[in-house]
Amino acid sequence: MNILDRYHAMEYGPAPEARNEADAWLAARDFSKALFIGGDWKAASGGKTFETSEPSSGKLLAKVSDASAADIDAAVAAATKALPKWSAASGYQRAKVLYAIGRAMQRHQRLFAVLETIDNGKPIRESRDIDVPLAIRHFIHHAGWAQALDRDFPGHKGVGVVGQIIPWNFPLLMLAWKIAPALAAGCTVVLKPAEFTPLTAILFAEICERAGVPKGVVNIVQGGPEAGVAIVNHPGIQKIAFTGSSEVGKIIRKATAGSGKKLSLELGGKSAFIVFEDADLDSAVEGLVDGIWFNQGQVCCAGSRLLVQEGIADALIAKVKTRMSRLRVGSPLDKNTDIGPLVDLTQLDRVKDLVAEGARQGAVCWQPDAALPASGYYHLPTLATGVSPANILAQEEVFGPVLATMTFRNTEEAIELANNTRYGLAASVWSENVNLALHVAPQLKAGVVWVNGTNMFDAACGFGGYRESGFGREGGREGMFEYLTAKLPLGPVIKPATISAKPAEQPDGDTIDRTAKLFIGGKQVRPDGNYSLTIATAKGKLAGEVGLGSRKDIRDAVSAARACKSWPEATAYNRSQVLYYLAENLSGRAGEFAARLIELTGATPKAAREEVDQTIERLFLYAGLADKFEGRVHQPPARAVTLALHEPVGVVGIVAPDSSPLLGLISLIAPALAMGNTVVAVPSERYPLLATDLYQVIEYSDVPAGAINIVTGRTAELAGVLAKHDDVDGLWLFADADTCAKAEADSVGNLKRVWTGNGRSLDWASDEVAGDALLRRAVEVKNVWVPYGD
C-alpha cells in the first residue's frame, strides 16, 4: 500500500471533548432551587420540577424547578422593584455591567459550550466555535449601545419590564440576543428558557451574580407552558419578546391584543437556498451543509429548500449526495461529529412523520448509507428530490436535517419559487455574478439574505423576518428600538362611533346634488352594496352623502394596491417629486379645504386654515424625506459587509381618526407612501368628505393608480376587514379601544404589522408625530450579507 492509498484509507479517530467540569457542575447544583428571582435562588412555589435529559443518550441530567404563575408574579415584582434604579443608572454604569457579563462568560466559555452540547445535542464544534463566542459578542457589543443611548436614540427610554421566552435550539445565544439589548436600554428582564434546555440559562444566572448585576434586573424562571402563559398575560410586563414557532407566535399576538404591550416575534422559516448555474458548486455544497445540517437542521433560518437552476441540477445533486455520505453522525461531544441528535424523542418522531408524508406526496427521499448510534434521538441527513411546490416538505418547517429540492429555469422563476411560502425569515443566493445576486436579493421576501454564504450572524446586524416569520428585529440598531419607547403626544380618547337615527336637515340654497364615491385603483367607483352614509355639517345640516364601503370594496381596494407595482418600484427621488406635486396641488385648493373643515367640524377660520397649512407642510416634509430615510452599511467582524436596506412593508391599511381629520389622514398616508408602500385608507367616519375632496387632487398629481385607495364607511367594520385580510401587510389604526384590540387579535392570520393608538388619537400637529417616528413603521429592514475576498 503506497502513501496515497494509506491517505484515502485513513479514518477519523475519536476526539471526545472532556465533560468532567460540566458533570461536576451538574453534581454540585441543587436544581430544585433553580429559579433566579430578585437575585436569589428559589424553589418553585408549588414544589414542582421537570426533567431535562441528554439527547445523545436519553439519560436524565437534572430535575429542574418548574415555575408556576405565582413564581412569575414574584419575578415580575422583583423586576418592577429594580426598574427605577436600573433605568436611572447612567449609560456608563449599565455598560460596565454588560461588559462584566461578557468577560465573565469568556472566562467560563468552555463550560458553557460543553453544557450546551450535553443539554441540546448540537456538536461541540458549533457550541464552542459559534454559539458561545457570539453570545459573548452580544453583551460586549451592547455595552457600547448602553453608553451611546442618549446620543443615538434621543428622546427614547427603556420600555420597562420585559418578558422574554426563548426556544431550545440556541438556548444560550437566544438568551444573549434577548437580554443584552434589554439591559442596554435600561429594561429589567423576566426570561423563561425552554424546558428541554434549561442548563446554560442557570449557569448564566450564576454569571450575573458574579458580574455584579443588581438584584432583580435579571430574573430567570425555568418552567413549562404555565410559566409562559403567565409571562404573556402578566399586566406588570410592558413588552413580550418571543422566539419560537409561528403557531405559538400567533397565540401570543392574540393574547396581547389590546394590552398595549410592545411585541416582537422571531418565528419559523422555510428559507430558500438558491443556486444559479454560474455558482461555484463546491462552495455552494459547503454552504448547503452549513445551511441545512447545522444544528441538525433545528434552525429557524435553515436553508431547507434547495432551488437549483436546471442546467446544473444533476451535477449539484451528485455533489450533495457525495458530501452527505461523508457527514459524520454521532456523539455531539466528539469534535469530529457533523450531526448530533435531535433535541428530544418528540422532535425525532415529528421529523420522521414529515419525511414519510413528503414521500407519500411524491418526493424521493435519499439518505446516506450510514449507521446511527444505538441510543439517542438521531436522524440521518435526508435529501428529498422530485419535490413539488405544494409538497409538505416544501411548505412546512421540518426543523430537522431534511433538504427539499426543486429546480428553476430562469431568474424570475427562482424568485417566484423562493417567495412561494408563508414564511419570510432568510434566504441564500449563490452566483459568481454579484450583479445577479444583488438583483435577486431585494426581490426575496425575507428579512435576511446571504450572498454566497449562509448562517452569518453578528450583534451589529439585525435579524428577523417578514410575513409569518414574525416582526421586529434582534441585533443592531433596529434591535435596540425593540426595547425602547418614545412617547408620542396623545390626542383625545376615541369613543365608539354612534349611528344617528335623526336625518340631517336639508341644506339651504339651490345646489346640484354631488355623489361622493369610493376611490379604488385610480377611479371613483360606487360602493359594491350601493348604500350610502349621510354626513352632517357642524350645524346639523346635510353636508352630503358618501359611499358605505363594505368587505367587497376593501377586497377590491387591496387588490388594486397589490397590483400597483410602479409605486414601490419607483425610485425614492421619483416618489419625492410626486409627493411634492401633491402638496403643490393641495396648496392651490387650500381655501376650499379650509372651508370644508369649517363646515364639517365647526372649526374657526384660523384653526381650519392652520390645519390645511400643516397638512401641506406635512406632505412637503415626507416628500423631502422620501430619498433620505435610508438604510445603513454594517461592517461585522468578518470578511463581509451587511447592507441594512429599507424596504416598504407592502400594502398598508390606514384607519384615520376624527380628530384633525385632514391632517391626521395625511400624516398617516404620507410616510407610508414616501417609503414605497401602497395604501388602503379608511378616512374619518364622521368627516369623510375631506377625503373624498382629495380624489381630484390625487388624480392630477401623477399618483399611480392603486397607490392610494380610499374607502369610506364604518370605521369598526372596515378596520376588521383590513385586519383579517391576508394580503394586507400592515395596519395603522386609530379608533376606539375595542376596535383596536379586536383588530390586533384578528391580524394573526398573516401576522401583519399592526400599530394602534389603543383607543387614543395623537396630537397630529406636534413635531413628534412627524418624521422618523412614522417612517420606521413604514419600512422593513432587510439585511443583505455580501462577503468579499478570496
Side-chain angles (χ1 to χ4, degrees), residues 281-282 285 306 312-326 366 383 385:
L281 296 192
D282 290 329
V285 169
L306 171 60
I312 58 166
D314 291 343
L316 182 65
I317 294 300
K319 286 178 177 287
V320 170
K321 288 183 176 180
T322 299
R323 186 67 176 87
M324 289 174 67
S325 67
R326 293 172 182 164
W366 181 89
L383 174 67
T385 55

Side-chain angles (χ1 to χ4, degrees), residues 90-92 94-95 98 141-150 183-185 480:
S90 70
Y92 174 52
R94 292 200 297 272
L98 283 157
H141 173 81
H142 282 90
W145 276 129
Q147 199 163 357
L149 206 62
D150 291 338
L183 297 191
M480 281 300 301

Side-chain angles (χ1 to χ4, degrees), residues 15 143 219 241 268 344 380 426 460 496 516 531 561 583 606 620-621 661 750 779-780:
N219 304 273
D344 186 75
L380 284 172
Y531 285 100
K606 179 182 178 183
F620 239 65
L621 171 70
N750 67 339
V779 297
E780 294 273 22

Side-chain angles (χ1 to χ4, degrees), residues 78-79 82-83 86 183 187-190 213-219:
L83 180 64
W86 180 249
L183 297 191
C187 301
T188 55
V189 167
V190 176
V213 178
K215 291 186 175 184
V217 170
V218 173
N219 304 273

Side-chain angles (χ1 to χ4, degrees), residues 35 65 109-110 132 154 182 253 365 434 442 464 593 724 748 766:
L35 305 184
S65 6
Q109 59 184 331
R110 200 70 168 202
V132 177
R253 165 72 283 186
C365 295
V434 71
F593 278 88
K724 293 177 181 177
V748 299
S766 66

Side-chain angles (χ1 to χ4, degrees), residues 366-439:
W366 181 89
Q367 295 176 333
D369 184 14
L372 292 177
S375 64
Y377 313 125
Y378 291 90
H379 193 287
L380 284 172
T382 303
L383 174 67
T385 55
V387 177
S388 71
N391 189 290
I392 194 169
L393 296 180
Q395 290 297 322
E396 293 299 322
E397 185 179 34
V398 177
F399 228 59
V402 180
L403 176 65
T405 305
M406 292 172 279
T407 61
F408 63 87
R409 289 163 293 184
N410 54 38
T411 303
E412 291 72 23
E413 188 177 7
I415 294 168
E416 186 175 356
L417 280 171
N419 291 335
N420 181 35
T421 172
R422 68 181 189 273
Y423 298 109
L425 190 54
S428 296
V429 180
W430 292 78
S431 170
E432 289 296 281
N433 183 348
V434 71
N435 291 326
L436 173 61
L438 294 180
H439 167 70

Side-chain angles (χ1 to χ4, degrees), residues 505-560:
E505 296 181 26
Q506 291 299 313
D508 298 325
D510 184 19
T511 59
I512 297 175
D513 183 77
R514 179 182 171 192
T515 302
K517 301 177 183 178
L518 311 181
F519 190 69
I520 297 176
K523 299 178 181 179
Q524 298 187 42
V525 298
R526 291 186 176 87
D528 179 72
N530 279 320
Y531 285 100
S532 61
L533 187 65
T534 300
I535 306 302
T537 68
K539 296 180 179 179
K541 295 185 178 294
L542 179 67
E545 292 181 299
V546 298
L548 187 62
S550 65
R551 180 184 301 272
K552 175 64 164 59
D553 299 310
I554 291 290
R555 287 207 306 267
D556 291 345
V558 172
S559 295

Side-chain angles (χ1 to χ4, degrees), residues 581-599:
Y581 195 29
L582 193 62
E584 174 189 334
N585 290 328
L586 180 59
S587 177
R589 297 175 62 174
E592 175 187 332
F593 278 88
R596 181 68 94 176
L597 274 166
I598 295 168
E599 175 194 24

